[in-house]
Amino acid sequence: MMRFIVNNFNVIAHNNSKIIGKLNVSFVNNTSFYINNISINKDFRGNNYGYKLLSFHEFHFNHLNIDTYKLHAINLTKDYKLYNYYKQFGYEYDYDYKMTTGTFHYDYDEIIPMKKKILKN
């Protein structure tokens, strides 16, 4: 059984005996969260736990009027695996993101800025 522990704005998913994964976020501004880290224990990968962590976080913090989640999809191997993973959950390329030459020293497609708009009920 998967359970969640909330610590500030971060979430840890666990079952009774083992940590499944974690999601660390920070505020960008009053309406946006930035996902600093999402990780799933290798023993639990491939079971949509990453999606469940993201969904729980969106639901749990819905009262804060957050309307956008932002992240950087790491693409060092140029296979677009994380980019495509996040796309299937509603994330899209963040065309509003401004990357300056002083911000990162990577090729243009090694770090892909993405965002997801949250629909309010």
Side-chain angles (χ1 to χ4, degrees):
M1 172 186 272
M2 184 170 169
R3 298 174 191 241
F4 298 98
I5 298 171
V6 177
N7 180 9
N8 294 321
F9 299 116
N10 304 306
V11 178
I12 297 172
H14 68 98
N15 63 15
N16 291 333
S17 62
K18 215 167 191 186
I19 291 178
I20 295 171
K22 65 180 181 169
L23 173 68
N24 302 107
V25 300
S26 58
F27 273 119
V28 173
N29 54 40
N30 290 337
T31 61
S32 298
F33 270 129
Y34 175 75
I35 298 172
N36 298 315
N37 183 24
I38 183 168
S39 61
I40 303 299
N41 180 320
K42 66 180 178 175
D43 297 336
F44 295 97
R45 292 181 186 160
N47 295 304
N48 284 328
Y49 289 127
Y51 175 72
K52 290 175 184 177
L53 264 169
L54 289 168
S55 296
F56 175 84
H57 197 276
E58 290 172 14
F59 174 79
H60 190 74
F61 290 101
N62 193 4
H63 68 282
L64 295 178
N65 295 321
I66 299 299
D67 67 5
T68 307
Y69 277 73
K70 297 179 177 241
L71 59 83
H72 288 134
I74 305 301
N75 190 39
L76 299 178
T77 58
K78 311 288 180 152
D79 62 3
Y80 295 88
K81 185 176 179 179
L82 280 176
Y83 174 76
N84 291 324
Y85 176 78
Y86 290 122
K87 268 183 73 170
Q88 69 183 341
F89 300 122
Y91 286 80
E92 59 187 34
Y93 187 84
D94 186 357
Y95 290 100
D96 300 327
Y97 184 79
K98 306 288 188 238
M99 189 180 324
T100 63
T101 54
T103 306
F104 294 109
H105 299 286
Y106 301 100
D107 290 341
Y108 76 95
D109 64 344
E110 287 183 338
I111 296 180
I112 303 170
M114 299 185 80
K115 68 180 176 181
K116 178 182 179 183
K117 288 291 190 181
I118 306 300
L119 302 176
K120 298 292 179 178
N121 297 340

